């Protein structure tokens, strides 16, 4: 009986992984057509200043409306796009579309500065030879200054990069594009390395702020965040916290000196109309 059950389990496991391989394979094959058929869309999530509660900008988060599977999140297809190279045209589309949106928000607004958009860059985009030229062209087409854009790069994508490999990012930073180090604290870069990176913002990973969702806050998490904020501010970097889900957490993080917050407490990622409403409400209050 034990043997039969064991055999059964193996069979299930095999069937399961076959299904995963097939799913992976068919998703990967469909990616180029999905881009041609405009099946991708972008949701925006506001970034909020902790000191005044004002909307500072929004992160562009890509989704795929798959004709059979429904809406797929980036974790389900970005790795596939990354491994096939499709991430380069997909990433360029995300950049174009979100800057076009930023321009539209700006035109709808009444004489305020343009809303900054944060766009995620994957490692292959970083290594793509025309990254700088493409980004400049997209900004020009949208009629926006470089300061309207923040590029988010994960800590892991930059680990071990030498000066030559960092040059495109440095050029963009020198032009006025804001560079944020995403998921900060999950990689293994040593802290002195931070000084060499052309970044202006640290986006502290959600895992560090989970312990502050309820009072009392986890004392170890508090110490860690305190240390990171003090280090960041010493290096003239601003700190954004991800995954803020409760008011208690927002209050802890504000007291700890974090600058900007993003999370479900403020808003889930949503269509561009929702962000416009949020920022109009904000400007009116
Ligand atoms: P990320 O850049 O760290 O984005 C933040 C993720 O946290 C998003 O997941 C967002 O929906 C989620 N999130 C926001 N607030 C909360 C919260 O309060 N609680 C919790 N539990 N989660 C929250 P999402 O949209 O699934 O994106 C996952 C990752 O996919 C992103 O992580 C980013 O690395 C990547 N990604 C998204 N769009 C793009 C893109 O256009 N290009 C590239 N290369 N990567 C992208
Ligand atoms: Mg990000
Ligand atoms: Mg992040
Ligand atoms: Mg993250």
């Amino acid at each position: 009986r034990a043997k039969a059950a064991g055999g059964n389990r193996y069979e299930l496991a095999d069937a399961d992984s076959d299904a995963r391989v097939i799913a992976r394979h068919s998703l990967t094959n469909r990616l180029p057509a999905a881009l041609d058929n405009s099946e991708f869309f972008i949701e925006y999530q506001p970034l909020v200043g902790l000191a005044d509660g004002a909307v500072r900008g929004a992160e562009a988060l890509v989704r795929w409306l798959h004709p059979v599977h429904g809406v797929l999140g980036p974790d389900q297809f970005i790795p596939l796009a990354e491994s096939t190279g499709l991430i380069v045209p997909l990433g360029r589309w995300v950049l174009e579309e979100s800057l076009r949106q930023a321009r539209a928000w700006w035109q709808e607004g009444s004489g305020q500065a343009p809303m900054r958009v944060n766009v995620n860059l994957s490692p292959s985009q970083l290594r793509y030879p025309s990254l700088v030229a493409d980004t400049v062209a997209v900004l020009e087409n949208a009629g926006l200054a470089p300061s309207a854009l923040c590029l988010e790069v994960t800590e892991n994508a930059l680990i071990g990069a030498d000066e030559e490999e960092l040059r495109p990012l440095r050029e963009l930073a020198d032009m006025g594009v804001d560079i944020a180090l995403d998921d900060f604290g999950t990689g293994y870069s040593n802290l002195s390395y931070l000084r060499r990176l052309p970044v202006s913002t640290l986006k502290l990973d959600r895992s560090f702020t989970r312990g502050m969702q309820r009072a009392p806050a986890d004392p170890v998490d508090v110490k860690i965040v305190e240390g990171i904020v003090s280090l960041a501010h010493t290096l003239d970097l601003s700190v954004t916290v991800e995954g803020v889900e409760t008011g208690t957490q927002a209050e802890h993080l504000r007291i700890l000196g974090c600058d900007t917050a993003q999370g479900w407490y403020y808003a889930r990622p949503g269509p561009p109309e929702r962000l416009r409403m949020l920022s109009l409400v904000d400007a009116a209050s």
Side-chain angles (χ1 to χ4, degrees):
R1 254 177 35 130
K3 207 178 162 202
N8 204 7
R9 245 198 328 270
Y10 274 98
E11 210 169 272
L12 279 175
D14 282 349
D16 204 49
S17 68
D18 278 353
R20 264 202 305 273
V21 169
I22 292 164
R24 246 185 92 85
H25 193 71
S26 72
L27 285 185
T28 307
N29 284 341
R30 258 204 67 84
L31 277 170
L35 192 56
D36 288 340
N37 298 341
S38 312
E39 289 170 11
F40 294 102
F41 65 100
I42 301 176
E43 288 192 317
Y44 298 87
Q45 187 177 35
L47 287 125
V48 176
L50 275 165
D52 58 4
V55 176
R56 290 270 180 285
E59 180 170 7
L61 296 159
V62 68
R63 279 89 179 84
W64 177 6
L65 179 55
H66 188 284
V68 177
H69 304 299
V71 176
L72 302 178
D75 291 336
Q76 290 167 283
F77 62 85
I78 290 286
L80 309 179
E82 175 77 28
S83 66
T84 57
L86 196 87
I87 190 69
V88 171
L90 175 59
R92 191 181 298 128
W93 177 80
V94 172
L95 187 67
E96 274 165 9
E97 174 57 22
S98 53
L99 286 175
R100 190 200 57 73
Q101 185 58 61
R103 172 74 191 194
W105 279 324
W106 190 26
Q107 279 170 336
E108 291 160 6
S110 41
Q112 299 153 301
M115 172 108 71
R116 176 184 292 168
V117 253
N118 286 34
V119 176
N120 293 284
L121 271 196
S122 78
S124 345
Q125 290 176 275
L126 270 177
R127 288 191 300 266
Y128 196 68
S130 59
L131 172 71
V132 176
D134 290 351
T135 307
V136 169
V138 174
L139 279 164
E140 275 172 7
N141 271 331
L144 291 172
S147 59
L149 174 65
C150 174
L151 292 173
E152 298 194 1
V153 183
T154 63
E155 187 184 5
N156 280 323
L158 293 185
I159 284 178
D162 59 27
E163 202 39 51
E164 187 59 25
E165 291 159 327
L166 290 175
R167 201 168 58 194
L169 273 192
R170 197 174 299 285
E171 275 178 40
L172 289 166
D174 287 345
M175 264 173 234
V177 174
D178 197 8
I179 313 286
L181 204 52
D182 206 351
D183 299 344
F184 180 74
T186 58
Y188 295 93
S189 61
N190 71 53
L191 293 176
S192 65
Y193 183 63
L194 265 183
R195 303 175 54 189
R196 300 185 33 232
L197 299 176
V199 300
S200 40
T201 302
L202 294 187
K203 286 193 86 173
L204 190 58
D205 193 68
R206 198 154 65 82
S207 50
F208 294 98
T209 60
R210 228 174 261 152
M212 294 176 207
Q213 282 176 358
R214 275 164 288 277
D218 180 314
V220 176
D221 284 342
V222 168
K223 287 277 177 220
I224 293 175
V225 173
E226 216 164 34
I228 292 175
V229 170
S230 126
L231 170 87
H233 287 171
T234 302
L235 296 173
D236 242 353
L237 302 171
S238 121
V239 178
T240 298
V241 281
E242 324 185 294
V244 177
E245 296 183 356
T246 68
T248 306
Q249 203 179 3
E251 187 54 15
H252 283 305
L253 292 162
R254 188 186 65 77
I255 291 168
L256 287 171
C258 298
D259 304 287
T260 310
Q262 180 180 359
W264 298 345
Y265 172 63
Y266 302 99
R268 301 231 173 194
E273 302 77 49
R274 198 154 78 212
L275 203 103
R276 199 183 100 237
M277 272 155 47
L278 280 173
S279 52
L280 287 180
V281 166
D282 208 82
S285 62

